């Protein structure tokens, strides 16, 4: 399993073991009744102030099933493959959307230390500001997953521009993807430029400090890169501290192996890993969860009253939760996909001057918008893409059909800007966070 899955499963299993221990039940002797009681406490018991959702229970049930199968417990006290052991209220995904303007507000307050009025707060510590904002902009532009973008090497940052120069394209290594298949990704020139600025300034500074402190010399494992080949299957060759030569295809390097790769810099070896901690060491992908959590907490401190902040987030009224933007690393992927879908669907509308024949030619050449977004996201099946993002886009398409049916001559030719589209969708579709709802109506 992936490292993140191992940590999540071990946390779930520990809770079950504590529960069984409180009953003096050895885990191999656990019965179906024990697991039913545990599930009731976790999901339904009114006495439990921190009941979990059906989705969380299904993950825990998967962990327990693997544990009991590994322990050769028969019959299985819980079996996630059986419908009765799954939660009826489980949802297959939790999609979190923020509109582009809301991401700007979240970044300004949470990552740049701005006040509600938009000014930098006195005393704000900005040592990792360029790293954090660069990561968010790259993820919003590329729709990469946390591990895909978080384990990137410096020479994997896109540099080759597309024909019109607004986007660059690179390749995600198969070993860091969920499907274990590499794919092409695209990022805007502005996002790539922001990351390059981080590399030249903030990142260079933490590397110089680490070299001065001798941190790299004390690392137990270093692979000093001697050569990176080109072609369809780029290969990385290196030599370790003992002079042992090694090499592997770039696409087959796991994220933790990438942390061992170093380049020879002007002042000595320096990490090839793109994202570094303040100590100049490679930053594991899961550490981004803490960055986003801190940004969420700062947004709450700035935008919520002291009384509202005292209430735990999941117990707050929807009206209070809606006052402060909330984001996770995966929210960047959701938001990027939704943005792309809306742009493509608006592009396909006749109000943009594309004739029916041109729209048909576009679909024949590139496929429909769903297929394009599915390819960019790396989904194996287009139905997965539709299951996650269908609701707001279907609403938009229906609204467009009705609007065209009711259009008059004086409205023809008017094109709604994308900020207006997102603001309207946020009002009419559940789950989309927009700045108008957070701060009240604003003037674009």
């Amino acid at each position: 399993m992936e490292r993140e899955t191992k940590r999540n499963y071990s946390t779930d299993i520990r809770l079950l073991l504590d529960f069984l221990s409180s009953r003096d039940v050895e885990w191999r002797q656990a019965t179906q009744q024990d697991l039913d009681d545990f599930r009731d406490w976790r999901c339904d018991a009114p006495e439990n102030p921190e009941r979990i959702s059906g989705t969380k229970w299904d993950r825990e049930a998967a962990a327990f099933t693997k544990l009991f199968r590994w322990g050769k417990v028969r019959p299985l006290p819980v079996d996630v493959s059986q419908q009765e052991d799954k939660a009826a209220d489980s949802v297959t995904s939790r999609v979190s959307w923020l509109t582009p303007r809301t991401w700007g507000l979240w970044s300004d307050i949470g990552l740049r230390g701005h006040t509600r009025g938009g000014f930098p707060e006195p005393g704000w510590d900005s040592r990792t500001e360029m790293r954090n904002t660069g990561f968010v902009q790259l993820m919003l532009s590329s729709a990469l997953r946390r591990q895909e973008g978080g384990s990137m090497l410096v020479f994997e940052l896109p540099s080759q521009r597309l024909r019109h120069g607004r986007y660059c394209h690179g390749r995600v290594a198969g070993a860091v993807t969920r499907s274990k298949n590499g794919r092409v990704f695209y990022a805007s020139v502005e996002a790539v430029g922001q990351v390059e600025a981080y590399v030249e300034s903030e990142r260079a500074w933490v590397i110089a400090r680490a070299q001065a402190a001798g941190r790299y010399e004390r690392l137990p494992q270093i692979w000093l890169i001697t050569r990176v080949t080109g072609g369809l299957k780029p290969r990385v060759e290196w030599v370790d501290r003992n002079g042992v030569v090694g090499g592997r295809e770039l696409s087959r390097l796991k994220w933790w192996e990438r942390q061992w790769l170093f380049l020879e810099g002007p002042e000595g070896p320096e990490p090839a890993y793109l994202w570094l901690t303040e100590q100049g060491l490679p930053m594991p992908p899961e550490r981004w969860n803490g960055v986003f959590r801190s940004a969420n907490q700062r947004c709450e401190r700035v935008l919520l009253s002291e009384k509202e902040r005292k209430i735990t987030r999941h117990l707050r009224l929807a009206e209070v939760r809606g006052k402060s933007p909330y984001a996770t690393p995966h929210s960047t992927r959701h938001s990027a996909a939704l943005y792309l879908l809306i742009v493509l669907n608006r592009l396909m509308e006749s109000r943009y001057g594309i004739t029916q024949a041109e729209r048909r030619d576009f679909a024949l050449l590139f496929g429909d918008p769903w297929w394009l977004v599915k390819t960019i996201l790396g989904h194996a099946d287009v139905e997965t893409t539709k299951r996650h993002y269908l609701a707001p886009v279907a609403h938009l398409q229906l609204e467009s059909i009705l609007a065209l049916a009711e259009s008059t001559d004086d409205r023809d030719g008017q094109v709604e800007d994308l900020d207006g589209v997102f603001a309207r969708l946020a009002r009419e579709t559940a789950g989309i966070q927009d700045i108008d709802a957070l701060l009240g109506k604003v003037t674009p």
Side-chain angles (χ1 to χ4, degrees):
M1 294 181 186
E2 294 293 339
R3 187 166 177 260
E4 182 81 0
T5 305
K6 290 180 181 178
R7 183 171 62 250
N8 291 336
Y9 277 20
S10 62
T11 303
D12 298 338
I13 290 171
R14 177 176 179 174
L15 287 173
L16 176 64
L17 296 181
D18 285 345
F19 174 80
L20 295 174
S21 178
S22 69
R23 291 187 162 194
D24 293 326
V25 174
E26 203 272 337
W27 71 270
R28 289 184 179 85
Q29 306 302 320
T31 66
Q32 181 179 346
Q33 186 61 53
D34 291 321
L35 269 295
D36 287 345
D37 292 345
F38 181 72
R39 176 180 178 177
D40 180 72
W41 170 257
R42 293 287 284 155
C43 301
D44 301 318
E47 299 84 3
N48 183 1
E50 297 183 355
R51 294 190 296 273
I52 62 174
S53 66
T55 304
K56 179 66 165 63
W57 167 255
D58 281 355
R59 193 192 81 180
E60 293 189 3
F64 305 153
T65 301
K66 287 187 177 293
L67 171 68
F68 290 122
R69 282 178 176 165
W70 172 79
K72 296 182 172 59
V73 177
R74 295 292 184 273
L76 287 173
V78 61
D79 186 354
V80 75
S81 65
Q82 301 298 319
Q83 193 63 38
E84 58 267 22
D85 286 336
K86 292 182 179 179
D89 60 340
S90 175
V91 293
T92 56
S93 64
R94 292 182 179 179
V95 182
S96 175
W97 296 304
L98 283 75
T99 64
R101 293 186 304 171
T102 307
W103 274 111
L105 174 70
W106 183 86
S107 296
D108 286 343
I109 295 177
L111 301 180
R112 295 189 175 95
H114 288 188
T115 64
R116 187 185 180 102
F119 301 99
E121 186 178 76
W124 167 251
D125 187 356
S126 60
R127 288 178 298 179
T128 59
E129 180 179 315
M130 294 189 71
R131 181 199 69 187
N132 297 343
T133 55
F135 176 81
V136 170
Q137 290 304 313
L138 180 65
M139 300 292 277
L140 279 172
S141 173
S142 63
L144 293 173
R145 292 185 177 92
R146 183 193 63 185
Q147 183 167 284
E148 295 168 350
S151 60
M152 192 176 292
L153 303 175
V154 286
F155 49 80
E156 290 180 312
L157 189 66
S159 58
Q160 187 172 358
R161 296 192 180 193
L162 299 180
R163 187 177 66 173
H164 294 291
R166 293 184 59 187
Y167 277 82
C168 301
H169 65 89
R171 187 163 186 85
V172 185
V176 302
T177 66
R178 181 174 294 176
S179 64
K180 305 307 175 189
N181 294 316
R183 69 178 190 277
V184 175
F185 73 95
Y186 304 89
S188 70
V189 171
E190 292 79 7
V192 172
Q194 194 164 343
V195 178
E196 290 175 341
Y198 154 70
V199 171
E200 295 296 328
S201 54
E202 195 175 277
R203 185 178 183 275
W205 179 68
V206 297
I207 288 175
R209 291 183 60 203
Q211 289 173 333
R215 291 195 184 99
Y216 302 145
E217 299 172 4
R218 296 192 294 270
L219 291 177
Q221 180 80 287
I222 279 186
W223 292 347
L224 188 62
I225 296 176
T226 57
R227 183 170 176 241
V228 180
T229 66
L232 295 176
K233 295 183 178 181
R235 179 178 173 84
V236 180
E237 298 176 357
W238 64 77
V239 59
D240 67 13
R241 290 191 185 279
N242 299 319
V244 178
V245 175
R248 191 170 303 166
E249 285 184 20
L250 183 61
S251 63
R252 297 178 60 188
L253 284 169
K254 305 286 187 180
W255 73 262
W256 60 85
E257 295 174 315
R258 291 162 166 259
Q259 296 185 98
W260 304 335
L261 293 174
F262 278 69
L263 296 166
E264 188 64 58
E267 302 298 328
E270 55 187 53
Y273 207 83
L274 177 59
W275 309 107
L276 304 180
T277 65
E278 289 186 69
Q279 291 73 38
L281 301 175
M283 182 172 174
E286 64 266 19
R287 287 278 296 274
W288 287 108
N289 289 0
V291 173
F292 277 70
R293 183 166 52 249
S294 297
N296 291 332
Q297 291 171 349
R298 189 168 194 287
C299 287
E300 291 180 356
R301 288 197 300 271
V302 172
L303 298 174
L304 299 184
S305 67
E306 184 176 356
K307 182 179 179 181
E308 291 169 336
R309 293 197 303 270
K310 289 181 178 179
I311 305 173
T312 307
R313 185 178 187 276
H314 70 276
L315 295 177
R316 292 172 187 159
L317 296 174
E319 180 183 357
V320 176
R321 288 200 303 269
K323 292 182 179 180
S324 176
Y326 180 86
T328 66
H330 213 62
S331 300
T332 60
R333 178 173 166 85
H334 292 155
S335 301
L338 182 65
Y339 178 85
L340 183 57
L341 268 174
I342 289 176
V343 169
L344 290 173
N345 274 281
R346 301 294 283 182
L347 179 66
M348 297 290 282
E349 289 183 6
S350 59
R351 70 177 66 185
Y352 274 80
I354 301 178
T355 66
Q356 184 175 355
E358 289 171 334
R359 293 198 299 275
R360 185 177 62 250
D361 292 342
F362 180 90
L364 288 173
L365 284 172
F366 304 108
D368 63 17
W370 288 111
W371 187 87
L372 283 172
V373 175
K374 169 255 182 190
T375 303
I376 290 174
L377 293 177
H379 286 160
D381 188 353
V382 71
E383 293 304 317
T384 303
T385 312
K386 290 182 178 180
R387 186 168 65 248
H388 289 180
Y389 307 106
L390 180 60
V393 178
H395 176 91
L396 180 64
Q397 290 173 329
L398 177 60
E399 185 274 338
S400 298
I401 293 171
L402 295 176
L404 287 173
E406 298 173 357
S407 63
T408 58
D409 293 339
D410 60 334
R411 291 177 59 187
D412 289 343
Q414 294 184 6
V415 177
E416 187 176 13
D417 65 273
L418 283 176
D419 282 340
V421 173
F422 275 107
R424 180 162 49 80
L425 278 179
R427 291 193 301 269
E428 301 172 355
T429 307
I432 301 179
Q433 301 178 54
D434 184 58
I435 196 171
D436 285 355
L438 295 167
L439 300 180
K441 184 67 177 177
V442 296
T443 303

